[in-house]
Amino acid sequence: MTRLTVNGKRLELDADPSMPLLWVLREELRLTGTRFGCGMSLCGACTIHLDGEAVRSCVTPLSAAEGRHVTTIEGLSPGVSSAVQRAWIAEEVPQCGYCQSGQIMCAAVLLREKPQPSDADIDDAMSGNLCRCGTYQRIRKAIHRAAKDIAGEKA
Amino acid sequence: MAHVVGTSARRKEGPEKLSGHARYVDDYRIPGCLHGVTVRAPIARGRILGIARDPAFDWDGVVIATAEDIPGPNVVTLIEPDQPLLAAGEVRHAQEPVALVAHADRSRAYQAAAHLKVEYESLQPVIDPAQSEQVFKSFLIERGDVVAGLAAGDLVVEGTYTVPHQEHAYIENNAAAAWFEADGTLVVLASMQCPYYVHKALKPLFDLPAHKVRIVQAVTGGGFGGKEEYPNMIAGHAALLAKKAGRPVKIVYDRHEDMLATTKRHPARIRHRTAVKRDGTLVAQDVDVLMDGGAYLTLSPVVLSRGTLHATGPYDCPNVRIRSRVVATHTPPNGAFRGFGAPQTLFAAELHMERIAEAIGADPVALRRKNLVREGSTLAVGQVLRESVGALQALDECAKRSGFRDKRREYARWNWRKDQPTWKGIGLAVVHHGSGFTGSGETHLASRAAVALTREGAIVVLAASTEFGQGTNTMFSQVTADTLGLPYDWITVETPDTSKVPDSGPTVASRTCMVVGRLVRQAALDLKAALVAEHGRVPHTRAHLREAALTLCGDAAERRFEREYEKPSGMAWDDATYRGDAYEAYSYAAVAVDLEIDKATWEVTVHRVTSVQDIGTTVNPLLAEGQVIGGTAQALGYALLESPVYKDGVMLNAQLTNYVIPTSLDTPEMDVAFVPAPYSNGPFGAKGVGELPMDGPPPAVAAAVHDATGLWITDLPILPERLARAERERKAPRNRK
Ligand code: FES
Ligand code: FES
């Protein structure tokens, strides 16, 4: 039995503790917003938050989430998700969209840790998240825009 | 009513792609669904001697399908009936599908596949296209007299160029689900570009009439050509397992399988011999193209055709000969990939222009200006360009915005100082890309699209053109809204589902906006005329539109206005001689790449790309710019990073660890601009945009590398080790004793 909190809900799961969290989320909990791209920690499509840190759910076993908080794209706090989504739409970021859950989950952590990130901060945080549609420079702009937006809301 | 064409109306499906709610194939919960896995041949060529189950394995709940289970002919219908759905008897490439297994549990299905023992007798494969004796297709295009022309110039410049395979690496792998309804209808839900291709392939395989096959596109996580023809295969596999199992079956590839087994860009070797006058006038271009088609014909003839028709670059030269062929090898079939043959031949053509410039001591911009096509120019196929030719404007704007000439001088000074840690360079290329199918392709295709007004007053665009990132839905809505003079938000676009939408042809060839967009506009004009006839004008309130809908629909649920492709007047093409108007219109781009090379590591860093294009009217500038940015990123990967390694016909680096695609760190700032030369038959003057950005960056990179180092790297990708080797050879040429 693994005890964990997913998107604010406390759960007890009796799935195989070695099962990657990605599959627990997608298959057991039907949280399909977290995507599979490679299964080898190489693309970032499966990024989620584990106690607020961005991790790759495809290589994180369920057992690693014991007693911890998991957040997926579906459970991103409304304040952050709406600021990020507004910025992503304003900059017309998504193309096929497949990588974007992972991009947004990664960006959300960055924005919390560095509310006014520099381009270098963004590259540092985001360069592991692949986007074959090539939306990188728009993601960078959208992160700056979201940072301003969040700062404005707080002021 | 404010116009929406020409504005950056926001992507229709944007919000759901950002909240995790967009549903890709594997996000659907299909009751009773099994997971399918493909058993593939490990050898490049051989005979299948037998398939046996490992008796030690527990086969309970496992469904197995082989070629014998296929109800119809064992053929994946595309151009020629040469590719089997499952190999039977003979294997012609590594990773060819041989059998299928399914189980309710995904990992059980993989285990079962590993325990299905296939016995082979190996045969000697042909891997090198230069050694192949099987020619899938060849072309010869001639203008003037190339032999006389080669003798008439002041000098002849020769060059040989090669380009490798390229992997699409869409982040969503290929995936399909299939099931049979109670009435026997086969339904497929898949990640795909071309629902009607799948429809056409599945009817004969399952011996079903058209109305008993229904193909639905799920939200698709990238395609780039990689989901043009391959979905026929995976959908056929899922459907065959579903038939055998009597339950729905889903097949979702993992990354390794997708990279090993599915299509790639055709590798090519291109030779140029060009005669030129001292003043830079092109006198003769003699081009020879060899492409590797892989084991089956698939789309190779059309890829070769487009590659051939773009092989001279966008120049007007009086004497041209292009000889091209695509041959069979025992490697996985190569297929559609953004650009479709043109990036291969344009790399050679444009890098060759640089070498001509060097040979005659000409400025590369001036050399191109002298020879570029303009209105009234004639192409090698005899096509006279009557309108919408923005090549020169694109070049001039690109040279200006990138500061090309100043940078050349500045970098020359920098590179001259031996104590600098790097070399710097700027290079440029000009390319064209034909919009729509080649020659009479659109006439044969006879695509249809419709606009419907429902009883409830909704306006719905009905087309089989798929959205996979380019902005199809948004563009259709903009065109329809402006045609009717109604708000953008009032327009909806039906899901590409063959039971609901007409066959608008495949979503390929930069044809969706110009060709299908035009059909949508014509259909919307018909709706408008009907509304005007009935009500004197197009109703401008929802309430009035609902009233109008009731009268226009009569007893029906909707009133549909459908249009079929008609060749624009004055266009002519002869399939037999391969002469005439090869494409309705061409888009043009000029690209400058500004880069720096580390003298110690040979690492190339691209600092800036300036990309100026004429795509006719830009229906949606922000989406168009997105296409340019994304295509440029893929093109930079092709030029500098993506290096597939093959041994005995098997890709050795079929994973993202060592097949490297661009990350945000590899993708520089881009300055994108448009110089529209509207095309009179395009919707609101639009031409194609999707593939064009793939064409220009690779030769511009190679030109910049030469500017920086003085080295001509004629083979892609330009890896550090290739540069280092070229430098060693320059210092110590092999023929020096
Ligand atoms: S699926 Fe986890 S990093 Fe690619
Ligand atoms: S939007 Fe398509 S992979 Fe990023």
Side-chain angles (χ1 to χ4, degrees):
Chain A
M1 213 44 103
T2 310
R3 286 185 192 78
L4 74 170
T5 307
V6 178
N7 296 339
K9 249 199 253 155
R10 297 167 77 138
L11 301 170
E12 286 189 7
L13 298 176
D14 71 4
D16 178 350
S18 69
M19 190 179 197
L21 256 181
L22 174 62
W23 299 113
V24 176
L25 295 168
R26 289 186 53 87
E27 310 265 292
E28 313 279 320
L29 304 176
R30 303 307 301 167
L31 292 167
T32 54
T34 307
R35 317 286 183 200
F36 167 78
C38 68
M40 294 171 72
S41 193
L42 297 167
C43 73
C46 64
T47 306
I48 56 159
H49 297 173
L50 193 57
D51 285 343
E53 290 305 311
V55 301
R56 307 232 156 144
S57 62
C58 69
V59 290
T60 307
L62 172 59
S63 57
E66 170 71 43
R68 302 173 72 181
H69 288 259
V70 171
T71 308
T72 70
I73 184 86
E74 293 92 344
L76 205 55
S77 79
V80 177
S81 74
S82 63
V84 168
Q85 282 166 10
R86 270 200 307 278
W88 252 242
I89 287 172
E91 297 295 343
E92 190 62 80
V93 174
Q95 290 192 25
C96 81
Y98 198 76
C99 71
Q100 298 296 342
S101 297
Q103 306 279 6
I104 287 172
M105 294 309 280
C106 213
V109 173
L110 171 68
L111 284 165
R112 193 194 64 227
E113 288 176 350
K114 302 229 163 102
Q116 296 299 324
S118 65
D119 277 352
D121 294 333
I122 295 175
D123 283 344
D124 251 11
M126 304 295 297
S127 66
N129 283 64
L130 296 179
C131 174
R132 189 54 153 170
C133 297
T135 65
Y136 301 123
Q137 73 182 60
R138 288 187 171 177
I139 289 174
R140 194 178 300 154
K141 279 196 209 157
I143 290 175
H144 285 306
R145 182 188 278 265
K148 269 200 211 116
D149 195 359
I150 294 168
E153 268 167 24
K154 283 191 186 140
Chain B
M1 181 58 55
H3 288 295
V4 66
V5 166
T7 72
S8 296
R10 288 305 186 269
R11 178 179 288 278
K12 282 256 153 174
E13 73 289 356
E16 67 181 46
K17 284 182 171 170
L18 302 175
S19 59
H21 292 110
R23 289 211 288 170
Y24 301 84
V25 174
D26 203 23
D27 302 338
Y28 283 81
R29 167 164 250 176
I30 302 165
C33 192
L34 306 181
H35 294 280
V37 173
T38 313
V39 178
R40 297 176 178 279
I43 54 168
R45 187 181 180 199
R47 264 187 283 277
I48 300 170
L49 302 178
I51 302 177
R53 301 177 200 199
D54 177 352
F57 185 76
D58 173 10
W59 292 93
D60 195 32
V62 179
V63 178
I64 301 174
T66 63
E68 282 159 27
D69 297 305
I70 302 168
N74 181 12
V75 166
V76 182
T77 304
L78 201 58
I79 294 175
E80 291 290 335
D82 65 335
Q83 186 175 24
L85 184 68
L86 290 170
E90 197 172 339
V91 167
R92 292 185 183 83
H93 65 85
Q95 302 304 318
E96 184 160 13
V98 173
L100 304 161
V101 300
H103 192 275
D105 181 76
R106 211 185 276 246
S107 51
R108 263 328 260 171
Y110 276 102
Q111 288 161 8
H115 285 89
L116 200 63
K117 300 293 174 201
V118 186
E119 210 189 320
Y120 301 94
E121 177 198 332
S122 279
L123 298 169
Q124 185 63 37
V126 177
I127 304 293
D128 177 3
Q131 305 295 318
S132 173
E133 280 166 9
Q134 189 189 349
V135 177
F136 283 137
K137 183 79 185 175
S138 64
F139 292 104
L140 169 64
I141 288 172
E142 288 179 293
R143 177 187 182 197
D145 182 342
V146 87
V147 177
L150 283 171
D154 292 326
L155 83 166
V156 172
V157 181
E158 301 195 22
T160 300
Y161 306 86
T162 70
V163 288
H165 289 93
Q166 187 183 18
E167 160 60 28
H168 304 86
Y170 27 64
I171 305 297
E172 182 206 27
N173 295 311
N174 268 288
W179 61 91
F180 285 83
E181 300 281 355
D183 71 351
T185 301
L186 166 59
V187 184
V188 167
L189 175 76
S191 180
M192 67 170 95
Q193 295 177 223
C194 312
Y196 275 96
Y197 273 8
V198 179
H199 193 255
K200 188 174 165 192
L202 263 48
K203 280 182 296 178
L205 275 169
F206 293 89
D207 194 18
L208 290 170
H211 69 280
K212 290 280 193 202
V213 178
R214 179 180 167 204
I215 311 296
V216 186
Q217 185 214 9
V219 178
T220 296
F224 319 116
K227 293 171 186 171
E228 175 169 349
E229 73 273 33
Y230 199 85
N232 294 3
M233 181 68 77
I234 185 171
H237 289 164
L240 185 61
L241 280 170
K243 184 159 181 72
K244 191 87 189 273
R247 288 167 68 174
V249 173
K250 188 194 277 182
I251 302 180
V252 180
Y253 288 169
D254 68 20
R255 179 62 56 190
H256 188 53
E257 178 175 20
D258 199 300
M259 289 178 86
L260 274 178
T262 71
T263 55
K264 305 271 178 292
R265 185 186 296 288
H266 287 68
R269 186 203 67 206
I270 300 116
R271 293 198 170 121
H272 277 259
R273 276 201 301 167
T274 308
V276 63
K277 291 221 182 87
R278 283 265 162 235
D279 71 358
T281 310
L282 294 178
V283 183
Q285 292 174 290
D286 190 12
V287 191
D288 181 89
V289 181
L290 171 65
M291 285 191 187
D292 178 356
Y296 296 105
L297 181 127
T298 62
L299 294 167
S300 285
V302 233
V303 172
L304 182 72
S305 160
R306 188 174 282 268
T308 305
L309 292 165
H310 290 77
T312 59
Y315 302 106
D316 188 346
C317 176
N319 303 295
V320 177
R321 177 171 63 189
I322 311 163
R323 287 173 290 190
S324 66
R325 64 208 181 282
V326 59
V327 300
T329 58
H330 292 102
T331 61
N334 296 310
F337 194 149
R338 197 176 201 165
F340 210 72
Q344 291 94 316
T345 58
L346 281 167
F347 168 69
E350 275 301 277
L351 187 52
H352 196 63
M353 279 308 269
E354 290 290 311
R355 294 173 82 181
I356 294 168
E358 186 191 54
I360 60 170
D363 168 77
V365 176
L367 174 67
R368 288 184 171 88
R369 283 197 107 259
K370 195 173 195 77
N371 296 289
L372 267 180
V373 289
R374 48 206 89 199
E375 275 175 30
S377 291
T378 304
L379 304 179
V381 279
Q383 175 169 18
V384 177
L385 299 173
R386 284 181 291 263
E387 58 163 323
S388 184
V389 186
L392 271 174
Q393 290 81 345
L395 173 59
D396 288 345
E397 181 66 15
C398 179
K400 191 169 93 201
R401 292 178 90 97
S402 63
F404 181 77
R405 290 191 172 102
D406 291 342
K407 288 265 175 70
R408 278 254 154 136
R409 276 192 291 274
E410 180 193 329
Y411 293 167
R413 283 195 297 275
W414 172 276
N415 294 332
W416 187 75
R417 292 186 42 190
K418 298 284 173 268
D419 57 337
Q420 302 288 14
T422 62
W423 289 291
K424 293 183 182 180
I426 184 165
L428 168 147
V430 186
V431 295
H432 60 320
H433 203 98
S435 305
F437 269 23
T438 305
S440 52
E442 293 292 348
T443 305
H444 293 315
L445 204 57
S447 319
R448 292 173 293 128
V451 174
L453 178 65
T454 69
R455 280 187 84 76
E456 295 74 39
I459 297 166
V460 187
V461 178
L462 298 141
S465 306
T466 48
E467 167 66 56
F468 45 96
Q470 341 83 299
T472 303
N473 294 345
T474 310
M475 178 272 294
F476 281 162
S477 301
Q478 288 179 277
V479 166
T480 306
D482 268 15
T483 304
L484 295 169
L486 293 177
Y488 168 70
D489 299 341
W490 289 22
I491 315 298
T492 54
V493 179
E494 183 58 84
T495 303
D497 171 338
T498 58
S499 72
K500 294 182 180 157
V501 300
D503 184 356
S504 325
T507 309
V508 302
S510 306
R511 65 185 292 277
T512 301
C513 182
M514 189 184 83
V515 177
V516 188
R518 176 167 71 216
L519 296 175
V520 168
R521 174 156 161 78
Q522 289 166 343
L525 282 169
D526 293 343
L527 167 59
K528 182 178 177 179
L531 285 167
V532 171
E534 200 70 40
H535 292 268
R537 57 177 295 193
V538 176
H540 278 186
T541 66
R542 286 276 200 186
H544 285 138
L545 188 60
R546 271 194 297 274
E547 279 170 32
L550 285 177
T551 37
L552 272 187
C553 293
D555 291 334
E558 63 168 37
R559 177 84 180 270
R560 211 183 250 228
F561 299 85
E562 188 170 296
R563 280 297 192 111
E564 186 173 311
Y565 178 83
E566 286 169 45
K567 192 172 64 173
S569 63
M571 258 194 78
W573 176 260
D574 184 346
D575 277 323
T577 59
Y578 229 66
R579 293 194 70 76
D581 297 310
Y583 298 96
E584 267 189 44
Y586 297 81
S587 291
Y588 301 90
V591 181
V593 170
D594 198 330
L595 52 74
E596 191 164 1
I597 302 173
D598 187 304
K599 286 182 179 173
T601 63
W602 292 96
E603 200 179 326
V604 180
T605 305
V606 177
H607 289 306
R608 193 176 180 77
V609 176
T610 308
S611 188
V612 181
Q613 30 273 308
D614 159 29
I615 57 167
T617 304
T618 35
V619 173
N620 187 316
L622 214 45
L623 287 181
E625 188 197 71
Q627 285 298 293
V628 174
I629 292 171
T632 302
Q634 286 174 1
L636 292 176
Y638 186 44
L640 288 165
L641 300 172
E642 298 178 34
S643 185
V645 179
Y646 281 79
K647 183 159 188 289
D648 301 331
V650 181
M651 186 178 179
L652 296 182
N653 54 342
Q655 58 262 321
L656 294 169
T657 29
N658 46 7
Y659 183 88
V660 180
I661 65 169
T663 68
S664 60
L665 299 178
D666 306 304
T667 308
E669 280 306 312
M670 297 181 202
D671 175 26
V672 177
F674 298 95
V675 285
Y679 166 50
S680 60
N681 286 309
F684 298 97
K687 302 185 281 190
V689 60
E691 296 172 288
L692 180 70
M694 191 71 221
D695 296 329
V701 165
V705 165
H706 179 261
D707 183 42
T709 62
L711 296 169
W712 291 118
I713 308 298
T714 52
D715 309 302
L716 294 185
I718 304 176
L719 299 173
E721 47 269 37
R722 192 160 260 164
L723 274 163
R725 197 183 324 129
E727 174 67 10
R728 277 199 305 276
E729 282 173 13
R730 174 164 68 178
K731 284 194 180 136
R734 255 176 284 165
N735 53 7
R736 199 196 285 168
K737 289 274 144 50

